[in-house]
Amino acid sequence: MAQEFSEQGAAYDGSKAGGGFMNAAAAVFGAATNAANMASARTAAGNLVDSAKNGGFTVSKDSANELIDTMARFVDEIDAMRHDLMVFDQQVPLGNHDYGQRVARHMHEAANGPNSARMVVLQLKEVLQLSIEALQRASGQYDETEANVVDSVKRAGHSA
């Protein structure tokens, strides 16, 4: 994913921000590949959003859309995996003896703990969503997207 992001970054219009955005974004995705660094990745993605809100960087709409589309595909893939990950909700039945129960409990904790692959994937989704928001803001598309969502919610409320 980081390679694809890097390739997409070649289209980045850094006329106002230099290479700062791409460096920050690369740090986000590099950190996201390690469970111990996920909090750092979320912080970096949040900083991108804050920077974009304050005009700290801009990106052309076309470049942003390419990056947003790539990240949105990954978010969709994570959402598609959610059903498959539900298998980890149940503790594996390994018998009624003490050892089997301890092993089953350990396996369940490993599959659902804060450093599990499952949690990393869910946290990566959050990082991707924050990065999408940052790009939308930096390209001036966030307000338009937000207005469309609010309008859709209002229409749905009136039709119910």
Side-chain angles (χ1 to χ4, degrees):
M1 178 172 79
Q3 177 63 31
E4 186 173 353
F5 184 78
S6 180
E7 290 168 2
Q8 294 289 330
Y12 167 66
D13 175 13
S15 59
K16 289 188 180 179
F21 167 72
M22 292 311 294
N23 292 337
V28 167
F29 288 100
T33 61
N34 181 333
N37 294 329
M38 190 50 72
S40 171
R42 281 195 316 271
T43 299
N47 289 343
L48 283 176
V49 172
D50 292 342
S51 178
K53 283 179 182 178
N54 297 320
F57 74 94
T58 59
V59 64
S60 72
K61 192 173 185 177
D62 290 338
S63 295
N65 286 341
E66 289 181 43
L67 293 167
I68 289 167
D69 289 345
T70 299
M71 289 183 216
R73 281 195 316 269
F74 286 112
V75 168
D76 290 343
E77 287 181 32
I78 291 169
D79 286 340
M81 284 191 291
R82 213 170 175 99
H83 178 61
D84 294 335
L85 294 174
M86 286 174 46
V87 71
F88 296 118
D89 291 340
Q90 300 296 319
Q91 191 167 301
V92 178
L94 295 178
N96 291 328
H97 50 85
D98 183 51
Y99 180 73
Q101 289 178 354
R102 283 191 296 156
V103 170
R105 190 171 37 256
H106 175 73
M107 290 173 61
H108 186 263
E109 289 171 6
N112 294 293
N115 289 322
S116 68
R118 180 185 194 181
M119 291 302 129
V120 170
V121 167
L122 296 177
Q123 292 169 345
L124 176 59
K125 177 182 173 181
E126 182 181 346
V127 170
L128 290 167
Q129 290 171 323
L130 286 170
S131 299
I132 289 169
E133 179 183 347
L135 287 166
Q136 287 173 328
R137 288 182 182 277
S139 65
Q141 298 176 73
Y142 186 81
D143 292 334
E144 177 183 324
T145 302
E146 189 174 43
N148 288 339
V149 169
V150 168
D151 195 41
S152 295
V153 169
K154 285 180 182 178
R155 283 194 306 260
H158 292 298
S159 64

